[in-house]
Amino acid sequence: MTRAQATRDRWSAAHALDGVRHRRSHIGSGSFSLVYRATKLTAEKVPLIGASESSFDTEADIYERLGDHPLVTPYYGRPWHGGIRLAYMDGGSLYDFLQRFPDAVPALRYQWILDVIEAIEYVHSKGIIVVNICCSNFLVDSGTLRCKIADFGGSSIDGSWPEIQEQATHAFPRSFLICDIRTDVWALGHTLLEILVGEHPFSNLEDVDIRARYLDHEFPPVEGVLADSIVGCWDGRFHAVTPVLESEIGRASCRERVS
């Protein structure tokens, strides 16, 4: 059976089981997908009705390339009815966790910063551009309180054309949709700021106003020990993820703040 035939079969089965999915516990959604609690330990990400499953093929390829890694949500293959199956992370997204616990201690926030940066370092080392880096796309393990990267819907692998763009608060200002390490580094800076303050300072603005500010080099205010590292993601100093923490306090210093 060809890959195209397999995709069509999964797509037909996905429609047939749509009613079953709606009786499951809905736990999240994305631009092209819904996420359901499948079992006590697993979740399934399935395409919205009318959405192409090509992004799921790419996402499955990405998870298979990444393999088993402590900062990547475990991948359990593709259900016969389509989509992908992942480990269920009972802490929810990092963004939601920050909303539920706005007084999270600094040591925990620095641990998440390390987790996010090291996860993206690893992903980049495998020839993958995440594209939509933000706190919503990291999941929290409520047992360890560590976070893992979880969403590669629309990501780029080996230079493939991305099928999604960053949310406006995290989007590098450009006139056409091209994503590379530079755009991921830009989004990383905004994600680190999200972790530190709980929510992006521009989240209440319209997308067009956010873009106008970035084009005018007007960035959110940043204070504290990571200020230089975060601003460096935006002003072009960093061309990869690895130097972000090395620029000011260093990875070792950040670990000291965790302990």
Side-chain angles (χ1 to χ4, degrees):
M1 179 184 292
T2 67
R3 184 169 184 169
Q5 289 172 322
T7 298
R8 284 195 296 272
D9 288 348
R10 289 195 303 268
W11 181 240
S12 297
H15 278 271
L17 291 180
D18 185 61
V20 174
R21 288 172 176 161
H22 281 280
R23 290 196 294 273
R24 297 182 183 183
S25 174
H26 173 246
I27 57 176
S29 59
S31 299
F32 310 111
S33 62
L34 295 174
V35 183
Y36 294 90
R37 178 84 175 270
T39 69
K40 183 178 179 180
L41 299 177
T42 64
E44 289 182 4
K45 182 177 179 181
V46 299
L48 291 169
I49 297 299
S52 167
E53 200 168 298
S54 63
S55 66
F56 287 84
D57 293 332
T58 301
E59 188 165 12
D61 289 343
I62 288 172
Y63 275 113
E64 288 167 4
R65 178 175 296 187
L66 292 175
D68 185 22
H69 189 278
L71 296 176
V72 177
T73 300
Y75 167 69
Y76 298 136
R78 308 199 66 176
W80 67 269
H81 50 75
I84 60 174
R85 182 178 290 122
L86 301 168
Y88 173 66
M89 301 287 286
D90 53 357
S93 76
L94 179 54
Y95 176 82
D96 289 340
F97 199 94
L98 287 164
Q99 303 310 300
R100 295 198 307 271
F101 302 101
D103 297 325
V105 296
L108 187 54
R109 295 176 191 265
Y110 280 106
Q111 182 61 69
W112 290 331
I113 284 170
L114 285 170
D115 289 345
V116 167
I117 290 177
E118 291 176 2
I120 297 170
E121 280 182 320
Y122 174 68
V123 171
H124 283 177
S125 76
K126 297 295 185 177
I128 297 156
I129 302 299
V130 183
V131 183
N132 192 21
I133 296 174
C134 60
C135 286
S136 295
N137 289 336
F138 286 82
L139 301 180
V140 177
D141 181 329
S142 64
T144 64
L145 295 183
R146 302 291 296 273
C147 69
K148 302 173 187 282
I149 194 166
D151 190 349
F152 297 99
S155 296
S156 168
I157 181 170
D158 295 335
S160 66
W161 193 256
E163 297 186 47
I164 199 170
Q165 191 172 6
E166 312 91 341
Q167 59 191 52
T169 50
H170 294 51
F172 184 79
R174 55 201 188 275
S175 57
F176 51 90
L177 180 57
I178 185 169
C179 298
D180 53 22
I181 289 178
R182 176 72 185 89
T183 58
D184 265 9
V185 169
W186 171 280
L188 172 64
H190 292 285
T191 302
L192 301 186
L193 179 60
E194 260 189 309
I195 293 172
L196 289 175
V197 303
E199 190 163 10
H200 196 282
F202 287 175
S203 60
N204 62 329
L205 300 178
E206 297 292 333
D207 290 0
V208 65
D209 295 325
I210 296 171
R211 177 177 171 78
R213 292 193 182 204
Y214 290 164
L215 288 172
D216 289 337
H217 301 284
E218 182 181 342
F219 305 129
V222 186
E223 299 178 351
V225 294
L226 280 179
D228 185 65
S229 297
I230 291 172
V231 173
C233 293
W234 304 333
D235 65 14
R237 271 180 287 156
F238 302 138
H239 301 284
V241 170
T242 302
V244 173
L245 275 182
E246 313 296 345
S247 66
E248 186 174 330
I249 62 174
R251 197 180 308 258
S253 298
C254 196
R255 291 193 185 282
E256 290 174 7
R257 296 171 186 273
V258 172
S259 59

